[in-house]
Amino acid sequence: CGKCMKRQKGDGSGPPLRKQLKHALKSQGAGKQVRIVQCGCLDLCPKHGVTLARGSELGDTKKLRVARSGDDLQMLVDWLLPRTG
């Protein structure tokens, strides 16, 4: 969510989450499978966090995820990758 990302800019914890996720996906060879895009508000508005969603599940608010600084980046990447099987 773009609104969440703007609030994250002032925390000084390194590169924005969007860049971190893109870099991690690219290094795992999944850069072409998943696109990281910024969108409008998803009506979750977590304090000190960023709302993430997978495109195929945007209509289901139970499938949104909140990422906070310090969260395991690999866990977020695994959640974003398409499920096979």
Side-chain angles (χ1 to χ4, degrees):
C1 170
K3 190 175 175 182
C4 296
M5 287 300 292
K6 284 181 187 174
R7 286 194 307 255
Q8 293 293 355
K9 285 184 181 178
D11 73 358
S13 65
L17 180 63
R18 182 174 184 262
K19 279 191 176 187
Q20 292 178 38
L21 288 171
K22 286 175 76 169
H23 179 70
L25 287 164
K26 195 173 189 178
S27 69
Q28 290 186 12
K32 301 282 183 188
Q33 290 177 311
V34 178
R35 289 196 57 155
I36 304 294
V37 296
Q38 191 167 296
C39 65
C41 186
L42 296 170
D43 291 331
L44 184 58
C45 300
K47 241 184 189 176
H48 309 291
V50 174
T51 305
L52 302 176
R54 292 181 283 226
S56 61
E57 299 167 342
L58 275 174
D60 189 352
T61 57
K62 295 175 188 167
K63 301 285 183 166
L64 297 177
R65 180 166 190 138
V66 174
R68 300 188 190 285
S69 61
D71 282 357
D72 181 13
L73 188 62
Q74 185 59 49
M75 183 178 66
L76 296 173
V77 167
D78 292 343
W79 181 77
L80 287 169
L81 289 173
R83 293 185 175 95
T84 56

